[in-house]
Amino acid sequence: MTDRQSKIAVVTGAGSGIGRAVAVELLRAGWSVTLAGRRAEPLAETAASAPGGASLAVRTDVSRPEDVEALFTATVERFGRVDLLFNNAGTFGPGGVPVEELPYEAWRHVVDTNLNGAFLCAQAAYRRMKEQAPQGGRIINNGSVSAHAPRPHSVAYTATKHALTGLTKSLSLDGRPYGIAVGQIDIGNAATDMTARMRTGALQANGETTPEPVMDVADVARTVRHMAELPLEANVQFATVLATAMPYIGRG
């Protein structure tokens, strides 16, 4: 940690999967964490996973500007500042749908959540980090290995994750004068409900359906914590954490 005994984090999509794992990791390390998600019950379950941790649950749809503003207002009212945003909320959208059959409404839902939501949360965090004393903070965007290489039938998800890389770079540059460090973690095949199908069979580029290796989501959480606890003078700009044997590097 830095010179403050307790650091303040906002974790979006904290009700399940990677968001829950990261929130619990931070809470157990002594962080105060605002848990953001669309449903109250999963957020309560996340808080219960780290008994004794200083947490605040705020129901939030990150695609709604008024929800995002309320999230950060509640965080500052409760904890006084924002030191970290883990911009994690996201959706894959309808799986296995060819591009020519993808409904526009489905495209918009993925873009509104993965890209617009990430922007709104980053903007709200940036404003607080710029204005607070001491100034500064850190934003970590949850990308994906899809920010580098797509899966079949994933046009909306892949497009948003590529766009998130541009968001990360721009925020990182614009945050320099204010001590705001911005990085991105690209994750491949962490074992969550979202990736459960990969263990039974995932569509490959050659048209075959093949089971894929996965990794413990706790390994992702520890990586995010490492990125989060660096001094603001240091930044992990991009980190890729993936199941070692997943079909990402190489042909096939």
Side-chain angles (χ1 to χ4, degrees):
M1 294 263 179
T2 65
D3 55 341
R4 294 173 57 88
Q5 286 190 337
S6 179
K7 301 284 279 184
I8 314 304
V10 175
V11 177
T12 66
S16 63
I18 291 168
R20 173 175 287 179
V22 169
V24 170
E25 177 75 16
L26 293 174
L27 285 166
R28 290 175 176 169
W31 287 67
S32 299
V33 182
T34 298
L35 311 170
R38 288 179 297 171
R39 295 179 295 139
E41 185 176 344
L43 296 179
E45 292 172 355
T46 298
S49 298
S55 64
L56 171 68
V58 181
R59 290 181 62 180
T60 308
D61 180 342
V62 296
S63 70
R64 296 170 58 88
E66 59 273 25
D67 279 20
V68 172
E69 184 61 25
L71 166 66
F72 283 87
T73 297
T75 299
V76 173
E77 287 178 350
R78 172 70 179 272
F79 297 120
R81 60 182 286 117
V82 179
D83 294 300
L84 170 70
L85 164 65
F86 181 45
N87 227 346
N88 167 72
T91 180
F92 190 82
V97 179
V99 61
E100 69 274 16
E101 298 177 12
L102 184 69
Y104 178 66
E105 293 76 14
W107 166 272
R108 278 294 304 270
H109 175 64
V110 175
V111 172
D112 283 344
T113 303
N114 295 6
L115 179 57
N116 295 342
F119 164 74
L120 289 170
C121 289
Q123 183 184 56
Y126 187 102
R127 287 170 175 161
R128 272 73 178 183
M129 292 171 179
K130 181 180 177 181
E131 295 168 359
Q132 63 197 9
Q135 190 180 62
R138 189 181 305 275
I139 298 170
I140 301 173
N141 292 325
N142 184 354
S144 168
V145 293
S146 291
H148 307 273
R151 288 185 177 275
H153 302 161
S154 66
V155 63
Y157 183 79
T158 298
T160 58
K161 293 304 184 179
H162 274 71
L164 202 63
T165 298
L167 180 68
T168 297
K169 291 178 179 180
S170 290
L171 290 170
S172 183
L173 179 60
D174 292 344
R176 286 178 184 174
Y178 311 109
I180 301 172
V182 185
Q184 180 171 316
I185 183 167
D186 296 326
I187 301 164
N189 288 19
T192 66
D193 291 343
M194 188 175 177
T195 61
R197 61 183 177 83
M198 295 176 184
R199 283 169 279 187
T200 57
L203 182 63
Q204 305 298 310
N206 63 3
E208 297 179 357
T209 299
T210 307
E212 294 187 11
V214 297
M215 62 177 169
D216 192 330
V217 70
D219 295 323
V220 176
R222 283 192 290 270
T223 304
V224 173
R225 179 185 164 195
H226 167 71
M227 295 169 69
E229 293 187 342
L230 288 171
L232 291 178
E233 294 75 20
N235 186 39
V236 175
Q237 188 68 71
F238 293 97
T240 303
V241 183
L242 71 168
T244 304
M246 69 173 289
Y248 170 62
I249 298 297
R251 299 172 182 259

